Amino acid sequence: MTSLSRSDTSAPSPRRPFAKRLLDGLSPSRLAVPVFLLSWSFLVLAPLVVIVLFSFLQVKAYRVVYVPTLDTWVSLIDSGRWMTAVRTLRIGLTMTVIELLLAFPFALWLAKGCKSKTFKSVIITLLTIPFFLDASSRIIVWRSILGTNGAINTALMSLGITDSPIDWLLYSEFAVHFGLLGTHFPTMVFPIFMSIALIDDDYIQASQDLGAGPAQTLFNIILPMALPGIVAGIVFTLVPLMAAFVEPQLLGGGFVDLLGNSVNSALQQLKYPTAAALSTVVVALLGLCLVVLILVTRKRHDMASMFMAIRR
Amino acid sequence: MLSDPIDSPTSAPTRRPSSPAPTQPILEVIDATHAYDGVVALENVTVTAAPGEFLTILGESGSGKTTLLRLISGLEKPYRIGALRLGGVDVREVPAFLRDCTTVFQNYALFPHLTVGANVEYGLKVRGIAAAERRTRARQALELVQLADMYDRKIHQLSGGQRQRVALARALVPQPAILLLDEPLGALDEKLRVDMQVELLELQKRLGMTFIYITHSQEEALTMSDRIILMRKGKIEQEGPPTTIFDRPVSSFAARFMGVENCFDAELTGVSGSDALIRVGDHHLIGRWSGRKPPKAGAKVAVGIRAERLRLARAAPTGPDLNVLPCRGGGAIYKGKYLDRAVETDVAPMKARIWDASAADGEPSCVWWRKDDCIVMEP
């Protein structure tokens, strides 16, 4: 009797379905790591490698010639398109800094200052508009406002503030910066907002209690504890900025060409190797920026322990 | 200056007879009222503390004790306050970071992105003190709480008891006039709590600092305080030295909070001196009046007797100052060091504490207690 019951418990039930046993045997990391690596390399990494390789090929009479050549890269440098890369990097970094300076105080207020829950959710909803409204339709409106016959110039002239229309408002670097501002604001605000909202009010109060003024609390407590969010905000803002093409196209008027535009026009002219080379430049610049970012933040703070600290 | 009845002479610390006569109070909270979203958390509360005093604010959760502490530290702005003075200076309009007091938070609130040393130094850093001096003073403070070798550790590497000590060191380093402690031992286990009680008390005596200590544990309050303020629903129920609060609670709430096991209602039939004559059903009893206002005959009162003051007997003893009630024996609860014996009387079920377990044999026929052990108080 006893031996029977013992064998019952020790031997696994033979009727358990095979699929179920297989699933039970899989731990999350054993499943997640291979699935992620496989799908990510198929979806993202492989096309990236193809793009880089493609930039060393040529298209002749609408057919790809599979002979490695540096022609595309040479023409890229000769035609002065490297200036575009520099400009893209400059505008991308400037805009990231501007967005950070605007978004941090805003996120701080939204997370800690705004007491009304309704108001907070309304603002968060409003911030998602750039995600669901098409960029071209949002941006094109600015032409009729910033243009020489636009609303601002008409208003300024009828008020007698200026005699002639201000022409740098549209089709200029100013206009491109202005157009990029709204599109990339939410991607900077959201991560910073999340990380500041996660900071327990007790830390801020403890800081005050120990004698730190508002500015000291901001720089000693809030800023370092919000660093993961700030880094995420920079990444999520800088990356799309490097590939922006709608705003420079519609508001730059051909004077402010960015890499995104160049890729776009190259594709339209069916110059695939040129598009591939330009995309490679974008990816390389981004990689460079991210490496610098990681080095700078790691010098000051250990990110892994930062997240552990937030989790408490 | 202080005509409030709460500022009676009992507020002088009793454990330090050597300390000079009451000087200017280091803390004065006069007539503080505060409400959160329409719910009153504090109602006309007046608290003062003498320099070097260990003052405990005792109460259950929601009694307003933490609110009171936050008003003092400046983290909460009172709805209405008569006066708020720290060291004689009006601080009603002074923000928290300029007030000369620091807090040990209930959950410690140690900055997770800083090391132990940087946490302890924080109060000095924001005051612009040079790094070398900061380091020395932080090390001294860590030595004070016996964590000298933890200077470079990260906060998440510490145990609960160590975090508690770091929080204490961090609050002590700026050398505030008053240290506010918000249930600092609440998250620790029993053994550690008892050890820390002793350590805190020694530290307070050594530094001569004023401690305002918040707790919900009557045992902690009795062990550590010079004076206890018992709070109930945003008001002060009773205040005085531990012995007064323990032996002479003014109300049945205070009595129950201070662990008086046997409480029942009665009617006051007469008063002679400090003696109170009471009637419960057909039984006439005698006790000591300990309420605030002088009692009136015919008033409803509460009666409290501690379990350890009740005696069980087979034959009723006789004496002028004894209360005797017939009883029937009930169950007994074994508590290790003692035995709690439940008995049934005509008045109420009662609990008697028997320290000698061998004496618990047999069936008692009556329960008796002395007049002085019978607390008659406000219902």
Side-chain angles (χ1 to χ4, degrees):
Chain A
M1 189 65 193
T2 48
S3 64
L4 187 78
S5 63
R6 196 191 309 141
S7 70
D8 263 354
T9 50
S10 62
S13 168
R15 268 175 309 207
R16 268 167 57 75
F18 170 76
K20 205 170 178 190
R21 263 186 295 148
L22 189 77
L23 275 177
D24 286 350
L26 282 170
S27 63
S29 62
R30 264 169 77 183
L31 189 67
V33 172
V35 166
F36 171 78
L37 284 180
L38 212 71
S39 55
W40 202 245
S41 51
F42 182 70
L43 288 171
V44 178
L45 298 178
L48 202 64
V49 173
V50 170
I51 285 175
V52 175
L53 292 179
F54 213 92
S55 68
F56 295 100
L57 299 179
Q58 264 187 316
V59 176
K60 278 180 182 159
Y62 307 112
R63 295 190 58 142
V64 180
V65 182
Y66 290 96
V67 180
T69 163
L70 281 171
D71 283 2
T72 319
W73 287 95
V74 172
S75 76
L76 214 60
I77 292 160
D78 285 348
S79 65
R81 271 201 160 120
W82 61 274
M83 282 294 292
T84 314
V86 173
R87 190 188 295 128
T88 307
L89 192 62
R90 175 168 55 81
I91 292 184
L93 290 175
T94 321
M95 279 314 295
T96 306
V97 170
I98 294 174
E99 299 281 15
L100 179 61
L101 292 179
L102 291 174
F104 186 84
F106 183 74
L108 181 61
W109 169 79
L110 193 63
K112 294 292 175 193
C114 180
K115 294 295 176 211
S116 156
K117 275 187 182 156
T118 334
F119 202 37
K120 198 180 275 191
S121 50
V122 166
I123 288 175
I124 290 172
T125 315
L126 287 176
L127 279 174
T128 61
I129 290 178
F131 295 124
F132 63 76
L133 200 64
D134 178 55
S136 337
S137 48
R138 264 185 304 113
I139 298 303
I140 199 93
V141 177
W142 287 113
R143 282 195 181 180
S144 57
I145 295 170
L146 299 174
T148 40
N149 300 319
I152 291 179
N153 274 321
T154 313
L156 286 177
M157 272 156 49
S158 62
L159 286 171
I161 296 170
T162 52
D163 295 333
S164 54
I166 304 168
D167 55 357
W168 51 262
L169 280 180
L170 190 62
Y171 302 134
S172 62
E173 273 205 16
F174 165 80
V176 173
H177 281 97
F178 186 80
L180 291 168
L181 198 64
T183 316
H184 298 94
F185 188 62
T187 53
M188 185 65 96
V189 169
F190 278 125
I192 301 181
F193 164 73
M194 292 296 281
S195 66
I196 295 180
L198 278 175
I199 301 175
D200 204 322
D201 283 350
D202 280 357
Y203 297 129
I204 296 162
Q205 293 184 349
S207 170
Q208 288 174 22
D209 186 78
L210 288 164
Q216 286 173 319
T217 303
L218 177 66
F219 287 109
N220 289 320
I221 305 299
I222 298 176
L223 213 55
M225 288 183 81
L227 202 60
I230 293 171
V231 171
I234 290 174
V235 170
F236 286 132
T237 309
L238 182 63
V239 172
L241 268 171
M242 297 294 282
F245 69 94
V246 176
E247 293 87 351
Q249 194 170 35
L250 293 180
L251 300 178
F255 300 111
V256 192
D257 238 12
L258 300 190
L259 280 174
N261 305 93
S262 303
V263 173
N264 211 28
S265 65
L267 281 175
Q268 276 166 0
Q269 295 162 26
L270 303 178
K271 290 176 171 172
Y272 296 122
T274 314
L278 287 167
S279 304
T280 309
V281 173
V282 174
V283 172
L285 284 177
L286 271 177
L288 192 75
C289 291
L290 296 185
V291 166
V292 169
L293 188 68
I294 288 169
L295 287 179
V296 165
T297 48
R298 197 168 54 182
K299 214 169 92 182
R300 271 192 62 79
H301 290 281
D302 178 10
M303 288 296 260
S305 81
M306 185 82 69
F307 282 107
M308 193 170 347
I310 280 179
R311 202 180 62 220
R312 258 223 289 197
Chain B
M1 179 176 61
L2 304 167
S3 57
D4 203 284
I6 289 157
D7 290 294
S8 54
T10 48
S11 59
T14 52
R15 285 197 190 168
R16 285 195 195 79
S18 58
S19 67
T23 50
Q24 189 190 22
I26 195 155
L27 167 74
E28 293 167 89
V29 181
I30 313 289
D31 260 341
T33 299
H34 193 64
Y36 295 104
D37 303 325
V39 181
V40 176
L42 273 187
E43 211 178 327
N44 296 323
V45 169
T46 295
V47 173
T48 59
E53 189 176 13
F54 197 123
L55 176 66
T56 298
I57 297 165
L58 180 63
E60 50 202 2
S61 57
S63 63
K65 51 192 193 322
T66 300
T67 308
L68 181 57
L69 202 73
R70 290 171 62 85
L71 292 192
I72 298 170
S73 64
L75 295 174
E76 200 83 49
K77 210 167 160 50
Y79 171 72
R80 195 180 64 228
I81 196 159
L84 178 58
R85 283 187 284 267
L86 291 176
V89 180
D90 190 338
V91 293
R92 268 179 297 181
E93 299 302 325
V94 176
F97 68 95
L98 294 176
R99 293 191 187 183
D100 193 12
C101 58
T102 55
T103 307
V104 178
F105 289 85
Q106 188 167 10
N107 58 6
Y108 316 140
L110 296 170
F111 306 128
H113 61 292
L114 301 177
T115 60
V116 168
N119 260 283
V120 176
E121 278 177 20
Y122 191 77
L124 302 175
K125 188 183 167 192
V126 297
R127 282 172 177 77
I129 287 166
E133 189 191 340
R134 276 196 328 241
R135 211 176 158 82
T136 327
R137 280 171 66 179
R139 281 197 186 280
Q140 282 169 355
L142 282 171
E143 253 163 52
L144 208 61
V145 295
Q146 298 160 30
L147 284 178
D149 50 343
M150 297 286 178
Y151 190 90
D152 293 315
R153 290 280 181 93
K154 287 267 178 179
I155 294 303
H156 61 83
Q157 294 171 318
L158 300 183
S159 71
Q162 289 170 332
R163 287 180 200 203
Q164 207 280 324
R165 287 153 194 261
V166 174
L168 186 63
R170 185 179 72 172
L172 285 172
V173 153
Q175 297 173 340
I178 302 176
L179 186 69
L180 307 167
L181 301 107
D182 187 3
E183 302 210 24
L185 309 182
L188 304 183
D189 58 59
E190 185 66 27
K191 169 86 174 63
L192 205 55
R193 253 183 52 215
V194 175
D195 292 348
M196 279 306 293
Q197 282 175 19
V198 178
E199 266 180 52
L200 266 179
L201 203 55
E202 281 174 356
L203 202 65
Q204 191 257 348
K205 281 195 178 130
R206 191 144 32 115
L207 299 173
M209 204 182 271
T210 310
F211 276 33
I212 313 279
Y213 189 94
I214 284 198
T215 182
H216 60 261
S217 150
Q218 53 113 347
E219 170 250 337
E220 230 168 75
L222 292 171
T223 315
M224 305 168 80
S225 329
D226 292 323
R227 190 159 57 97
I228 298 174
I229 291 178
L230 177 62
M231 305 229 2
R232 181 194 188 184
K233 291 181 184 163
K235 290 181 184 164
I236 293 177
E237 183 80 2
Q238 189 174 3
E239 102 178 279
T243 46
T244 309
I245 300 245
F246 189 78
D247 292 336
R248 306 242 70 88
V250 294
S251 65
S252 62
F253 172 84
R256 285 205 179 88
F257 204 92
M258 299 315 292
V260 175
E261 292 87 349
N262 302 304
C263 280
F264 51 88
D265 294 329
E267 189 195 315
L268 193 73
T269 53
V271 184
S272 65
S274 63
D275 291 358
L277 305 168
I278 49 173
R279 186 171 62 85
V280 195
D282 299 330
H283 296 283
H284 288 269
L285 303 170
I286 186 166
R288 290 267 307 271
W289 175 255
S290 80
R292 280 166 285 215
K293 293 182 283 282
K296 248 194 316 225
K300 284 238 172 269
V301 292
V303 180
I305 312 118
R306 290 194 175 272
E308 59 266 32
R309 304 289 162 87
L310 277 185
R311 307 284 163 77
L312 300 174
R314 288 186 205 200
T318 50
D321 287 345
L322 298 185
N323 294 301
V324 184
L325 283 178
C327 75
R328 296 168 297 283
I333 303 163
Y334 175 68
K335 297 270 190 157
K337 287 179 187 161
Y338 53 85
L339 197 69
D340 270 352
R341 188 79 197 264
V343 292
E344 198 66 48
T345 69
D346 295 344
V347 173
M350 289 191 183
K351 204 193 268 178
R353 190 150 296 167
I354 298 158
W355 294 92
D356 183 3
S358 61
D361 298 336
E363 201 54 20
S365 68
C366 66
V367 54
W368 63 274
W369 65 95
R370 290 176 203 286
K371 176 190 77 179
D372 286 347
D373 296 333
C374 184
I375 314 157
V376 183
M377 56 212 162
E378 292 161 18

mmCIF file of all heavy atoms in Angstrom, chain B residues 187-207:
data_model
loop_
_atom_site.group_PDB
_atom_site.id
_atom_site.type_symbol
_atom_site.label_atom_id
_atom_site.label_comp_id
_atom_site.label_asym_id
_atom_site.label_seq_id
_atom_site.Cartn_x
_atom_site.Cartn_y
_atom_site.Cartn_z
ATOM 1 N N ALA B 187 9.812 49.727 11.987
ATOM 2 C CA ALA B 187 10.053 48.697 10.973
ATOM 3 C C ALA B 187 11.049 47.637 11.446
ATOM 4 O O ALA B 187 11.406 46.764 10.684
ATOM 5 C CB ALA B 187 10.555 49.344 9.692
ATOM 6 N N LEU B 188 11.511 47.749 12.694
ATOM 7 C CA LEU B 188 12.529 46.813 13.169
ATOM 8 C C LEU B 188 11.889 45.651 13.922
ATOM 9 O O LEU B 188 10.791 45.761 14.446
ATOM 10 C CB LEU B 188 13.509 47.537 14.097
ATOM 11 C CG LEU B 188 14.193 48.757 13.502
ATOM 12 C CD1 LEU B 188 15.177 49.331 14.487
ATOM 13 C CD2 LEU B 188 14.884 48.406 12.199
ATOM 14 N N ASP B 189 12.616 44.534 13.980
ATOM 15 C CA ASP B 189 12.064 43.404 14.725
ATOM 16 C C ASP B 189 12.264 43.616 16.227
ATOM 17 O O ASP B 189 13.015 44.474 16.668
ATOM 18 C CB ASP B 189 12.647 42.073 14.243
ATOM 19 C CG ASP B 189 14.147 42.042 14.370
ATOM 20 O OD1 ASP B 189 14.623 42.199 15.513
ATOM 21 O OD2 ASP B 189 14.838 41.877 13.356
ATOM 22 N N GLU B 190 11.551 42.795 16.999
ATOM 23 C CA GLU B 190 11.404 43.003 18.441
ATOM 24 C C GLU B 190 12.744 43.186 19.163
ATOM 25 O O GLU B 190 12.952 44.168 19.864
ATOM 26 C CB GLU B 190 10.650 41.785 19.007
ATOM 27 C CG GLU B 190 10.305 41.886 20.469
ATOM 28 C CD GLU B 190 9.297 42.986 20.746
ATOM 29 O OE1 GLU B 190 8.506 43.294 19.818
ATOM 30 O OE2 GLU B 190 9.298 43.536 21.854
ATOM 31 N N LYS B 191 13.657 42.273 18.940
ATOM 32 C CA LYS B 191 14.932 42.285 19.650
ATOM 33 C C LYS B 191 15.703 43.576 19.359
ATOM 34 O O LYS B 191 16.198 44.254 20.251
ATOM 35 C CB LYS B 191 15.740 41.065 19.193
ATOM 36 C CG LYS B 191 17.184 41.027 19.614
ATOM 37 C CD LYS B 191 17.342 40.414 20.987
ATOM 38 C CE LYS B 191 18.801 40.236 21.342
ATOM 39 N NZ LYS B 191 19.513 41.499 21.425
ATOM 40 N N LEU B 192 15.779 43.907 18.066
ATOM 41 C CA LEU B 192 16.504 45.095 17.627
ATOM 42 C C LEU B 192 15.856 46.361 18.189
ATOM 43 O O LEU B 192 16.533 47.318 18.548
ATOM 44 C CB LEU B 192 16.485 45.125 16.096
ATOM 45 C CG LEU B 192 17.598 45.861 15.384
ATOM 46 C CD1 LEU B 192 18.936 45.329 15.819
ATOM 47 C CD2 LEU B 192 17.434 45.694 13.887
ATOM 48 N N ARG B 193 14.533 46.341 18.265
ATOM 49 C CA ARG B 193 13.814 47.505 18.753
ATOM 50 C C ARG B 193 14.195 47.802 20.196
ATOM 51 O O ARG B 193 14.457 48.945 20.561
ATOM 52 C CB ARG B 193 12.301 47.258 18.656
ATOM 53 C CG ARG B 193 11.668 48.035 17.548
ATOM 54 C CD ARG B 193 10.175 47.817 17.521
ATOM 55 N NE ARG B 193 9.558 48.048 18.807
ATOM 56 C CZ ARG B 193 8.520 47.356 19.260
ATOM 57 N NH1 ARG B 193 8.001 46.407 18.523
ATOM 58 N NH2 ARG B 193 8.003 47.627 20.423
ATOM 59 N N VAL B 194 14.233 46.757 21.002
ATOM 60 C CA VAL B 194 14.551 46.945 22.419
ATOM 61 C C VAL B 194 15.975 47.476 22.557
ATOM 62 O O VAL B 194 16.238 48.403 23.329
ATOM 63 C CB VAL B 194 14.359 45.614 23.176
ATOM 64 C CG1 VAL B 194 14.808 45.767 24.614
ATOM 65 C CG2 VAL B 194 12.904 45.185 23.110
ATOM 66 N N ASP B 195 16.905 46.921 21.764
ATOM 67 C CA ASP B 195 18.291 47.401 21.811
ATOM 68 C C ASP B 195 18.382 48.866 21.402
ATOM 69 O O ASP B 195 19.078 49.665 22.027
ATOM 70 C CB ASP B 195 19.170 46.565 20.868
ATOM 71 C CG ASP B 195 19.335 45.149 21.364
ATOM 72 O OD1 ASP B 195 18.963 44.900 22.523
ATOM 73 O OD2 ASP B 195 19.820 44.302 20.597
ATOM 74 N N MET B 196 17.664 49.200 20.319
ATOM 75 C CA MET B 196 17.739 50.567 19.798
ATOM 76 C C MET B 196 17.110 51.567 20.766
ATOM 77 O O MET B 196 17.537 52.705 20.840
ATOM 78 C CB MET B 196 17.050 50.650 18.436
ATOM 79 C CG MET B 196 17.879 50.192 17.253
ATOM 80 S SD MET B 196 19.473 51.008 17.118
ATOM 81 C CE MET B 196 18.973 52.677 16.730
ATOM 82 N N GLN B 197 16.067 51.124 21.498
ATOM 83 C CA GLN B 197 15.464 52.006 22.501
ATOM 84 C C GLN B 197 16.522 52.471 23.488
ATOM 85 O O GLN B 197 16.653 53.666 23.775
ATOM 86 C CB GLN B 197 14.367 51.260 23.263
ATOM 87 C CG GLN B 197 13.069 51.135 22.517
ATOM 88 C CD GLN B 197 12.069 50.286 23.279
ATOM 89 O OE1 GLN B 197 12.197 50.074 24.473
ATOM 90 N NE2 GLN B 197 11.079 49.796 22.571
ATOM 91 N N VAL B 198 17.291 51.503 23.974
ATOM 92 C CA VAL B 198 18.326 51.824 24.958
ATOM 93 C C VAL B 198 19.372 52.741 24.332
ATOM 94 O O VAL B 198 19.778 53.751 24.915
ATOM 95 C CB VAL B 198 18.974 50.527 25.484
ATOM 96 C CG1 VAL B 198 20.077 50.843 26.464
ATOM 97 C CG2 VAL B 198 17.912 49.644 26.118
ATOM 98 N N GLU B 199 19.788 52.401 23.104
ATOM 99 C CA GLU B 199 20.818 53.198 22.435
ATOM 100 C C GLU B 199 20.367 54.635 22.217
ATOM 101 O O GLU B 199 21.114 55.581 22.444
ATOM 102 C CB GLU B 199 21.167 52.567 21.081
ATOM 103 C CG GLU B 199 22.345 51.629 21.173
ATOM 104 C CD GLU B 199 22.669 51.022 19.837
ATOM 105 O OE1 GLU B 199 22.828 51.791 18.874
ATOM 106 O OE2 GLU B 199 22.732 49.791 19.750
ATOM 107 N N LEU B 200 19.120 54.783 21.755
ATOM 108 C CA LEU B 200 18.579 56.122 21.512
ATOM 109 C C LEU B 200 18.573 56.942 22.793
ATOM 110 O O LEU B 200 18.943 58.116 22.800
ATOM 111 C CB LEU B 200 17.146 56.002 20.985
ATOM 112 C CG LEU B 200 16.939 55.999 19.489
ATOM 113 C CD1 LEU B 200 15.475 55.839 19.159
ATOM 114 C CD2 LEU B 200 17.459 57.289 18.889
ATOM 115 N N LEU B 201 18.154 56.296 23.862
ATOM 116 C CA LEU B 201 18.051 56.977 25.145
ATOM 117 C C LEU B 201 19.435 57.441 25.609
ATOM 118 O O LEU B 201 19.610 58.580 26.044
ATOM 119 C CB LEU B 201 17.440 56.004 26.155
ATOM 120 C CG LEU B 201 16.762 56.609 27.360
ATOM 121 C CD1 LEU B 201 15.701 57.599 26.925
ATOM 122 C CD2 LEU B 201 16.125 55.511 28.195
ATOM 123 N N GLU B 202 20.421 56.554 25.490
ATOM 124 C CA GLU B 202 21.786 56.905 25.893
ATOM 125 C C GLU B 202 22.326 58.055 25.050
ATOM 126 O O GLU B 202 22.936 58.985 25.554
ATOM 127 C CB GLU B 202 22.705 55.686 25.750
ATOM 128 C CG GLU B 202 22.553 54.722 26.906
ATOM 129 C CD GLU B 202 23.347 53.460 26.691
ATOM 130 O OE1 GLU B 202 23.958 53.322 25.606
ATOM 131 O OE2 GLU B 202 23.351 52.613 27.598
ATOM 132 N N LEU B 203 22.050 57.959 23.739
ATOM 133 C CA LEU B 203 22.502 58.982 22.801
ATOM 134 C C LEU B 203 21.908 60.339 23.164
ATOM 135 O O LEU B 203 22.596 61.359 23.183
ATOM 136 C CB LEU B 203 22.062 58.576 21.397
ATOM 137 C CG LEU B 203 22.818 59.177 20.235
ATOM 138 C CD1 LEU B 203 24.243 58.689 20.258
ATOM 139 C CD2 LEU B 203 22.147 58.785 18.941
ATOM 140 N N GLN B 204 20.621 60.330 23.469
ATOM 141 C CA GLN B 204 19.936 61.575 23.789
ATOM 142 C C GLN B 204 20.516 62.189 25.060
ATOM 143 O O GLN B 204 20.712 63.396 25.143
ATOM 144 C CB GLN B 204 18.439 61.300 23.943
ATOM 145 C CG GLN B 204 17.590 62.551 24.017
ATOM 146 C CD GLN B 204 17.158 62.858 25.438
ATOM 147 O OE1 GLN B 204 17.291 62.040 26.340
ATOM 148 N NE2 GLN B 204 16.648 64.066 25.629
ATOM 149 N N LYS B 205 20.830 61.345 26.024
ATOM 150 C CA LYS B 205 21.388 61.859 27.277
ATOM 151 C C LYS B 205 22.780 62.424 27.047
ATOM 152 O O LYS B 205 23.136 63.464 27.568
ATOM 153 C CB LYS B 205 21.448 60.734 28.308
ATOM 154 C CG LYS B 205 20.083 60.487 28.921
ATOM 155 C CD LYS B 205 20.187 59.638 30.177
ATOM 156 C CE LYS B 205 18.831 59.459 30.795
ATOM 157 N NZ LYS B 205 18.540 58.059 31.098
ATOM 158 N N ARG B 206 23.554 61.713 26.213
ATOM 159 C CA ARG B 206 24.920 62.131 25.960
ATOM 160 C C ARG B 206 24.959 63.461 25.210
ATOM 161 O O ARG B 206 25.756 64.338 25.508
ATOM 162 C CB ARG B 206 25.633 61.047 25.138
ATOM 163 C CG ARG B 206 27.109 61.226 25.025
ATOM 164 C CD ARG B 206 27.883 59.917 25.029
ATOM 165 N NE ARG B 206 27.194 58.790 24.436
ATOM 166 C CZ ARG B 206 27.610 58.177 23.318
ATOM 167 N NH1 ARG B 206 28.672 58.607 22.674
ATOM 168 N NH2 ARG B 206 26.978 57.124 22.865
ATOM 169 N N LEU B 207 24.074 63.605 24.222
ATOM 170 C CA LEU B 207 24.089 64.811 23.404
ATOM 171 C C LEU B 207 23.318 65.956 24.050
ATOM 172 O O LEU B 207 23.504 67.112 23.688
ATOM 173 C CB LEU B 207 23.490 64.523 22.027
ATOM 174 C CG LEU B 207 24.203 63.469 21.180
ATOM 175 C CD1 LEU B 207 23.404 63.164 19.942
ATOM 176 C CD2 LEU B 207 25.593 63.943 20.816
#
